[in-house]
Amino acid sequence: MDTKLDPWSSSDITDYSKLFEEFGISPFENVLPEIPSPHMYMRRKVIFGHRDYEQIAEAMRTGAPFSVMDGFMPSGKVHLGHKMVMDQIVWHQEMGASAFVGIADREAFSVRGFSWQKCREIGVEEYILSLIALGFKPNGLIYFQSGCGSVKDLAFELGVKVNFSELGAIYGFSGETSLSHMLSVATQAADILQPQLEEFSGPKPVVVPVGPDQDPHLRLTRGLAGKMNMFRVEEREDVKTGRKYLSVRGKTAQKEALQELKKRIPGRVKLYEEHIDVLEYLDLAGLEKLVREVAVEFGGYAFIPPASTYHRFMSGLQGGKMSSSIPESQIALTDDPKEGAKKVKRAKTGGCVTLEEQKKLGGKPEECSVFELMLFHLIASDEELLEIKQECIAGTRMCGSCKQLAAEKMQEFLKDHQEKRELAREHLDEYRIIYKD
Ligand code: TRP
Ligand code: SF4
């Protein structure tokens, strides 16, 4: 059966292993050892998958330029799910990434039917204030899609390389899908590719931290990156001799660009009408870099396919799904701190019905939404978390006191976060924010 990944429905994905097989997402633990000091979500397997994160890890290690990019569609209240994404943006910024955050007002306008005014209100009041309160630094760029000329232009250009059958295959679009909805998809691809435009100093690795529901956008964008590029490097094999060689295809490249490229490639090369065969210089990464340089010099695109990470979703506080339409299922970052604490106390745990039973059998942290809150948000120390888990399993920890601790921490976090939001409000003009004009 097909795993359904639909960014506009709230289907929850329970079996993550399918994503690996069906969509080519790699397990995150494979790159974990390459990351200098991994984020809590990485260590705790909240981030379970990735595409091409190796290039991000390498940039972090070598100090090469890289970016983190993410978008938020104005929908409703900013909640713990958004915090997860924001934490990852801020962390990458701390690790040296230039950061780009798009407020997807074009998506909200076309898919949700929100007015521009409403998009702006939600964008600022919900997402931007919390993003800054969570530590976003002023050198990052925040923009409303509809206010960002370069994103809109790029979206239009990308549109040339997307046709309806492809959108149908990826998103299940039908004859009823509006043109604006389709355009919002191109806009999102433009969001993701924008950090590699010349005005942001050209091609570089970009990571997009998302939930698995957003993966269709990444697949589309990765495909588009290749289609837009002036050159494409391919690994080939001589049918007669079996010798491996590389070939640079440049169908849309000017003659001069191909000739210039030929001059720069070391070793024996053969220049044809629309491509160059590279016979001796077999360093793929090195050749790709050369090719990017020449493409950019001749005014072409040389996008590196964007990398991504995938995080698990939290379950709802009452079990089931966390959903904006069920306020009790989640905690908004703007909830009154006392109310937030109460929600924690009312949450479903993995404990037994009676204390005696729990002392005998122990609790089930993997089925406990209070434990999830601690794992995702409330307990910064891995040792402390592990201790809680072991005590729970051993039956020496009781849900009442456990909830009490989590509730206190939640109340403290919300109070502190909301103070920081007010501070952010006062300093908003120190941030680079592009609004719709
Ligand atoms: N589609 C995303 C959402 O539903 C928002 C979004 C817009 C986005 N542009 C993006 C996400 C770029 C990641 C990268 O919230
Ligand atoms: Fe959850 Fe804590 Fe109860 Fe264990 S003791 S089930 S972690 S609330």
Side-chain angles (χ1 to χ4, degrees), residues 88-112:
Q88 295 176 64
I89 298 170
V90 170
W91 180 81
H92 280 100
Q93 217 183 6
E94 280 162 7
M95 301 305 280
S98 56
F100 296 76
V101 174
I103 304 296
D105 56 352
R106 291 196 131 195
E107 190 176 347
F109 191 98
S110 61
V111 181
R112 300 256 166 154

PDB file of all heavy atoms in Angstrom, residues 88-112:
ATOM      1  N   GLN A  88      15.191  23.907  15.714  1.00  0.00           N
ATOM      2  CA  GLN A  88      16.173  23.390  14.747  1.00  0.00           C
ATOM      3  C   GLN A  88      16.754  24.502  13.873  1.00  0.00           C
ATOM      4  O   GLN A  88      17.937  24.477  13.533  1.00  0.00           O
ATOM      5  CB  GLN A  88      15.530  22.323  13.862  1.00  0.00           C
ATOM      6  CG  GLN A  88      15.109  21.097  14.643  1.00  0.00           C
ATOM      7  CD  GLN A  88      14.394  20.103  13.758  1.00  0.00           C
ATOM      8  OE1 GLN A  88      14.968  19.562  12.825  1.00  0.00           O
ATOM      9  NE2 GLN A  88      13.129  19.844  14.030  1.00  0.00           N
ATOM     10  N   ILE A  89      15.919  25.480  13.532  1.00  0.00           N
ATOM     11  CA  ILE A  89      16.424  26.614  12.747  1.00  0.00           C
ATOM     12  C   ILE A  89      17.485  27.353  13.560  1.00  0.00           C
ATOM     13  O   ILE A  89      18.590  27.621  13.081  1.00  0.00           O
ATOM     14  CB  ILE A  89      15.276  27.590  12.388  1.00  0.00           C
ATOM     15  CG1 ILE A  89      14.232  26.890  11.520  1.00  0.00           C
ATOM     16  CG2 ILE A  89      15.811  28.834  11.697  1.00  0.00           C
ATOM     17  CD1 ILE A  89      12.960  27.701  11.314  1.00  0.00           C
ATOM     18  N   VAL A  90      17.136  27.643  14.810  1.00  0.00           N
ATOM     19  CA  VAL A  90      18.037  28.404  15.671  1.00  0.00           C
ATOM     20  C   VAL A  90      19.343  27.631  15.897  1.00  0.00           C
ATOM     21  O   VAL A  90      20.433  28.197  15.859  1.00  0.00           O
ATOM     22  CB  VAL A  90      17.348  28.735  17.018  1.00  0.00           C
ATOM     23  CG1 VAL A  90      18.337  29.299  18.020  1.00  0.00           C
ATOM     24  CG2 VAL A  90      16.184  29.694  16.782  1.00  0.00           C
ATOM     25  N   TRP A  91      19.223  26.330  16.077  1.00  0.00           N
ATOM     26  CA  TRP A  91      20.425  25.522  16.304  1.00  0.00           C
ATOM     27  C   TRP A  91      21.352  25.570  15.087  1.00  0.00           C
ATOM     28  O   TRP A  91      22.563  25.751  15.222  1.00  0.00           O
ATOM     29  CB  TRP A  91      20.035  24.067  16.615  1.00  0.00           C
ATOM     30  CG  TRP A  91      21.214  23.178  16.870  1.00  0.00           C
ATOM     31  CD1 TRP A  91      21.915  23.065  18.038  1.00  0.00           C
ATOM     32  CD2 TRP A  91      21.834  22.282  15.934  1.00  0.00           C
ATOM     33  NE1 TRP A  91      22.934  22.150  17.889  1.00  0.00           N
ATOM     34  CE2 TRP A  91      22.915  21.657  16.614  1.00  0.00           C
ATOM     35  CE3 TRP A  91      21.600  21.944  14.601  1.00  0.00           C
ATOM     36  CZ2 TRP A  91      23.744  20.719  16.002  1.00  0.00           C
ATOM     37  CZ3 TRP A  91      22.428  21.003  13.992  1.00  0.00           C
ATOM     38  CH2 TRP A  91      23.483  20.404  14.689  1.00  0.00           C
ATOM     39  N   HIS A  92      20.792  25.418  13.897  1.00  0.00           N
ATOM     40  CA  HIS A  92      21.636  25.474  12.693  1.00  0.00           C
ATOM     41  C   HIS A  92      22.275  26.853  12.561  1.00  0.00           C
ATOM     42  O   HIS A  92      23.430  26.966  12.135  1.00  0.00           O
ATOM     43  CB  HIS A  92      20.827  25.117  11.436  1.00  0.00           C
ATOM     44  CG  HIS A  92      20.637  23.640  11.261  1.00  0.00           C
ATOM     45  ND1 HIS A  92      19.488  22.987  11.611  1.00  0.00           N
ATOM     46  CD2 HIS A  92      21.477  22.687  10.771  1.00  0.00           C
ATOM     47  CE1 HIS A  92      19.616  21.685  11.356  1.00  0.00           C
ATOM     48  NE2 HIS A  92      20.815  21.478  10.837  1.00  0.00           N
ATOM     49  N   GLN A  93      21.520  27.870  12.934  1.00  0.00           N
ATOM     50  CA  GLN A  93      22.082  29.224  12.911  1.00  0.00           C
ATOM     51  C   GLN A  93      23.295  29.292  13.857  1.00  0.00           C
ATOM     52  O   GLN A  93      24.342  29.816  13.502  1.00  0.00           O
ATOM     53  CB  GLN A  93      21.003  30.206  13.358  1.00  0.00           C
ATOM     54  CG  GLN A  93      21.009  31.512  12.640  1.00  0.00           C
ATOM     55  CD  GLN A  93      19.950  32.484  13.166  1.00  0.00           C
ATOM     56  OE1 GLN A  93      19.266  32.238  14.154  1.00  0.00           O
ATOM     57  NE2 GLN A  93      19.837  33.619  12.488  1.00  0.00           N
ATOM     58  N   GLU A  94      23.137  28.702  15.012  1.00  0.00           N
ATOM     59  CA  GLU A  94      24.262  28.684  15.969  1.00  0.00           C
ATOM     60  C   GLU A  94      25.442  27.893  15.428  1.00  0.00           C
ATOM     61  O   GLU A  94      26.594  28.177  15.753  1.00  0.00           O
ATOM     62  CB  GLU A  94      23.812  28.078  17.309  1.00  0.00           C
ATOM     63  CG  GLU A  94      23.067  29.068  18.168  1.00  0.00           C
ATOM     64  CD  GLU A  94      22.252  28.401  19.265  1.00  0.00           C
ATOM     65  OE1 GLU A  94      22.365  27.165  19.453  1.00  0.00           O
ATOM     66  OE2 GLU A  94      21.483  29.124  19.925  1.00  0.00           O
ATOM     67  N   MET A  95      25.169  26.897  14.601  1.00  0.00           N
ATOM     68  CA  MET A  95      26.248  26.078  14.037  1.00  0.00           C
ATOM     69  C   MET A  95      26.861  26.726  12.797  1.00  0.00           C
ATOM     70  O   MET A  95      27.678  26.117  12.112  1.00  0.00           O
ATOM     71  CB  MET A  95      25.739  24.684  13.659  1.00  0.00           C
ATOM     72  CG  MET A  95      25.145  23.881  14.791  1.00  0.00           C
ATOM     73  SD  MET A  95      26.250  23.704  16.198  1.00  0.00           S
ATOM     74  CE  MET A  95      27.305  22.395  15.612  1.00  0.00           C
ATOM     75  N   GLY A  96      26.433  27.933  12.473  1.00  0.00           N
ATOM     76  CA  GLY A  96      27.080  28.674  11.391  1.00  0.00           C
ATOM     77  C   GLY A  96      26.250  28.883  10.142  1.00  0.00           C
ATOM     78  O   GLY A  96      26.734  29.467   9.166  1.00  0.00           O
ATOM     79  N   ALA A  97      25.014  28.412  10.138  1.00  0.00           N
ATOM     80  CA  ALA A  97      24.193  28.556   8.931  1.00  0.00           C
ATOM     81  C   ALA A  97      23.651  29.977   8.807  1.00  0.00           C
ATOM     82  O   ALA A  97      23.320  30.602   9.806  1.00  0.00           O
ATOM     83  CB  ALA A  97      23.016  27.582   8.984  1.00  0.00           C
ATOM     84  N   SER A  98      23.551  30.454   7.577  1.00  0.00           N
ATOM     85  CA  SER A  98      22.733  31.643   7.360  1.00  0.00           C
ATOM     86  C   SER A  98      21.291  31.138   7.295  1.00  0.00           C
ATOM     87  O   SER A  98      21.015  30.093   6.712  1.00  0.00           O
ATOM     88  CB  SER A  98      23.139  32.354   6.071  1.00  0.00           C
ATOM     89  OG  SER A  98      23.073  31.475   4.975  1.00  0.00           O
ATOM     90  N   ALA A  99      20.387  31.878   7.928  1.00  0.00           N
ATOM     91  CA  ALA A  99      19.027  31.355   8.097  1.00  0.00           C
ATOM     92  C   ALA A  99      18.007  32.143   7.296  1.00  0.00           C
ATOM     93  O   ALA A  99      18.095  33.369   7.188  1.00  0.00           O
ATOM     94  CB  ALA A  99      18.645  31.359   9.572  1.00  0.00           C
ATOM     95  N   PHE A 100      17.054  31.404   6.735  1.00  0.00           N
ATOM     96  CA  PHE A 100      15.965  31.995   5.942  1.00  0.00           C
ATOM     97  C   PHE A 100      14.648  31.429   6.453  1.00  0.00           C
ATOM     98  O   PHE A 100      14.493  30.211   6.515  1.00  0.00           O
ATOM     99  CB  PHE A 100      16.106  31.619   4.459  1.00  0.00           C
ATOM    100  CG  PHE A 100      17.341  32.164   3.817  1.00  0.00           C
ATOM    101  CD1 PHE A 100      18.586  31.599   4.056  1.00  0.00           C
ATOM    102  CD2 PHE A 100      17.263  33.262   2.969  1.00  0.00           C
ATOM    103  CE1 PHE A 100      19.734  32.104   3.457  1.00  0.00           C
ATOM    104  CE2 PHE A 100      18.397  33.780   2.359  1.00  0.00           C
ATOM    105  CZ  PHE A 100      19.636  33.203   2.606  1.00  0.00           C
ATOM    106  N   VAL A 101      13.732  32.305   6.805  1.00  0.00           N
ATOM    107  CA  VAL A 101      12.427  31.842   7.243  1.00  0.00           C
ATOM    108  C   VAL A 101      11.339  32.524   6.422  1.00  0.00           C
ATOM    109  O   VAL A 101      11.257  33.754   6.395  1.00  0.00           O
ATOM    110  CB  VAL A 101      12.214  32.112   8.747  1.00  0.00           C
ATOM    111  CG1 VAL A 101      10.785  31.766   9.159  1.00  0.00           C
ATOM    112  CG2 VAL A 101      13.213  31.303   9.569  1.00  0.00           C
ATOM    113  N   GLY A 102      10.563  31.725   5.737  1.00  0.00           N
ATOM    114  CA  GLY A 102       9.476  32.266   4.925  1.00  0.00           C
ATOM    115  C   GLY A 102       8.146  32.110   5.642  1.00  0.00           C
ATOM    116  O   GLY A 102       7.869  31.061   6.215  1.00  0.00           O
ATOM    117  N   ILE A 103       7.353  33.158   5.653  1.00  0.00           N
ATOM    118  CA  ILE A 103       5.976  33.021   6.122  1.00  0.00           C
ATOM    119  C   ILE A 103       5.141  32.782   4.869  1.00  0.00           C
ATOM    120  O   ILE A 103       5.080  33.632   3.977  1.00  0.00           O
ATOM    121  CB  ILE A 103       5.486  34.288   6.859  1.00  0.00           C
ATOM    122  CG1 ILE A 103       6.432  34.641   8.021  1.00  0.00           C
ATOM    123  CG2 ILE A 103       4.047  34.095   7.345  1.00  0.00           C
ATOM    124  CD1 ILE A 103       6.505  33.620   9.134  1.00  0.00           C
ATOM    125  N   ALA A 104       4.543  31.592   4.800  1.00  0.00           N
ATOM    126  CA  ALA A 104       3.920  31.144   3.552  1.00  0.00           C
ATOM    127  C   ALA A 104       2.518  31.730   3.405  1.00  0.00           C
ATOM    128  O   ALA A 104       1.512  31.016   3.432  1.00  0.00           O
ATOM    129  CB  ALA A 104       3.897  29.622   3.491  1.00  0.00           C
ATOM    130  N   ASP A 105       2.459  33.046   3.218  1.00  0.00           N
ATOM    131  CA  ASP A 105       1.140  33.677   3.098  1.00  0.00           C
ATOM    132  C   ASP A 105       0.480  33.340   1.755  1.00  0.00           C
ATOM    133  O   ASP A 105      -0.738  33.312   1.648  1.00  0.00           O
ATOM    134  CB  ASP A 105       1.210  35.196   3.332  1.00  0.00           C
ATOM    135  CG  ASP A 105       2.188  35.901   2.412  1.00  0.00           C
ATOM    136  OD1 ASP A 105       2.943  35.220   1.688  1.00  0.00           O
ATOM    137  OD2 ASP A 105       2.197  37.155   2.418  1.00  0.00           O
ATOM    138  N   ARG A 106       1.301  33.047   0.739  1.00  0.00           N
ATOM    139  CA  ARG A 106       0.687  32.661  -0.539  1.00  0.00           C
ATOM    140  C   ARG A 106      -0.020  31.312  -0.397  1.00  0.00           C
ATOM    141  O   ARG A 106      -1.075  31.092  -0.972  1.00  0.00           O
ATOM    142  CB  ARG A 106       1.758  32.560  -1.631  1.00  0.00           C
ATOM    143  CG  ARG A 106       2.335  33.913  -2.001  1.00  0.00           C
ATOM    144  CD  ARG A 106       3.070  33.820  -3.317  1.00  0.00           C
ATOM    145  NE  ARG A 106       2.618  34.918  -4.155  1.00  0.00           N
ATOM    146  CZ  ARG A 106       2.813  35.005  -5.467  1.00  0.00           C
ATOM    147  NH1 ARG A 106       3.460  34.058  -6.104  1.00  0.00           N
ATOM    148  NH2 ARG A 106       2.380  36.036  -6.140  1.00  0.00           N
ATOM    149  N   GLU A 107       0.590  30.425   0.369  1.00  0.00           N
ATOM    150  CA  GLU A 107      -0.031  29.121   0.590  1.00  0.00           C
ATOM    151  C   GLU A 107      -1.322  29.285   1.409  1.00  0.00           C
ATOM    152  O   GLU A 107      -2.354  28.703   1.078  1.00  0.00           O
ATOM    153  CB  GLU A 107       0.959  28.193   1.307  1.00  0.00           C
ATOM    154  CG  GLU A 107       0.524  26.747   1.380  1.00  0.00           C
ATOM    155  CD  GLU A 107       1.589  25.838   2.021  1.00  0.00           C
ATOM    156  OE1 GLU A 107       2.754  26.291   2.179  1.00  0.00           O
ATOM    157  OE2 GLU A 107       1.250  24.703   2.366  1.00  0.00           O
ATOM    158  N   ALA A 108      -1.251  30.098   2.467  1.00  0.00           N
ATOM    159  CA  ALA A 108      -2.431  30.290   3.320  1.00  0.00           C
ATOM    160  C   ALA A 108      -3.560  30.980   2.546  1.00  0.00           C
ATOM    161  O   ALA A 108      -4.732  30.655   2.704  1.00  0.00           O
ATOM    162  CB  ALA A 108      -2.071  31.100   4.560  1.00  0.00           C
ATOM    163  N   PHE A 109      -3.176  31.937   1.716  1.00  0.00           N
ATOM    164  CA  PHE A 109      -4.174  32.649   0.912  1.00  0.00           C
ATOM    165  C   PHE A 109      -4.875  31.692  -0.045  1.00  0.00           C
ATOM    166  O   PHE A 109      -6.092  31.687  -0.166  1.00  0.00           O
ATOM    167  CB  PHE A 109      -3.494  33.784   0.132  1.00  0.00           C
ATOM    168  CG  PHE A 109      -4.445  34.741  -0.534  1.00  0.00           C
ATOM    169  CD1 PHE A 109      -4.771  35.955   0.058  1.00  0.00           C
ATOM    170  CD2 PHE A 109      -5.018  34.433  -1.765  1.00  0.00           C
ATOM    171  CE1 PHE A 109      -5.656  36.834  -0.548  1.00  0.00           C
ATOM    172  CE2 PHE A 109      -5.894  35.307  -2.385  1.00  0.00           C
ATOM    173  CZ  PHE A 109      -6.216  36.513  -1.780  1.00  0.00           C
ATOM    174  N   SER A 110      -4.072  30.852  -0.710  1.00  0.00           N
ATOM    175  CA  SER A 110      -4.670  30.005  -1.741  1.00  0.00           C
ATOM    176  C   SER A 110      -5.309  28.740  -1.182  1.00  0.00           C
ATOM    177  O   SER A 110      -6.329  28.287  -1.684  1.00  0.00           O
ATOM    178  CB  SER A 110      -3.622  29.637  -2.803  1.00  0.00           C
ATOM    179  OG  SER A 110      -2.565  28.911  -2.212  1.00  0.00           O
ATOM    180  N   VAL A 111      -4.713  28.170  -0.134  1.00  0.00           N
ATOM    181  CA  VAL A 111      -5.227  26.892   0.355  1.00  0.00           C
ATOM    182  C   VAL A 111      -6.262  27.094   1.461  1.00  0.00           C
ATOM    183  O   VAL A 111      -7.255  26.390   1.543  1.00  0.00           O
ATOM    184  CB  VAL A 111      -4.070  25.992   0.859  1.00  0.00           C
ATOM    185  CG1 VAL A 111      -4.599  24.654   1.352  1.00  0.00           C
ATOM    186  CG2 VAL A 111      -3.045  25.760  -0.246  1.00  0.00           C
ATOM    187  N   ARG A 112      -6.006  28.081   2.327  1.00  0.00           N
ATOM    188  CA  ARG A 112      -6.913  28.299   3.454  1.00  0.00           C
ATOM    189  C   ARG A 112      -7.928  29.412   3.221  1.00  0.00           C
ATOM    190  O   ARG A 112      -8.825  29.611   4.016  1.00  0.00           O
ATOM    191  CB  ARG A 112      -6.099  28.690   4.691  1.00  0.00           C
ATOM    192  CG  ARG A 112      -5.098  27.652   5.099  1.00  0.00           C
ATOM    193  CD  ARG A 112      -5.606  26.915   6.293  1.00  0.00           C
ATOM    194  NE  ARG A 112      -4.834  25.726   6.508  1.00  0.00           N
ATOM    195  CZ  ARG A 112      -4.695  25.144   7.680  1.00  0.00           C
ATOM    196  NH1 ARG A 112      -5.266  25.657   8.724  1.00  0.00           N
ATOM    197  NH2 ARG A 112      -3.988  24.044   7.801  1.00  0.00           N
TER     198      ARG A 112
END
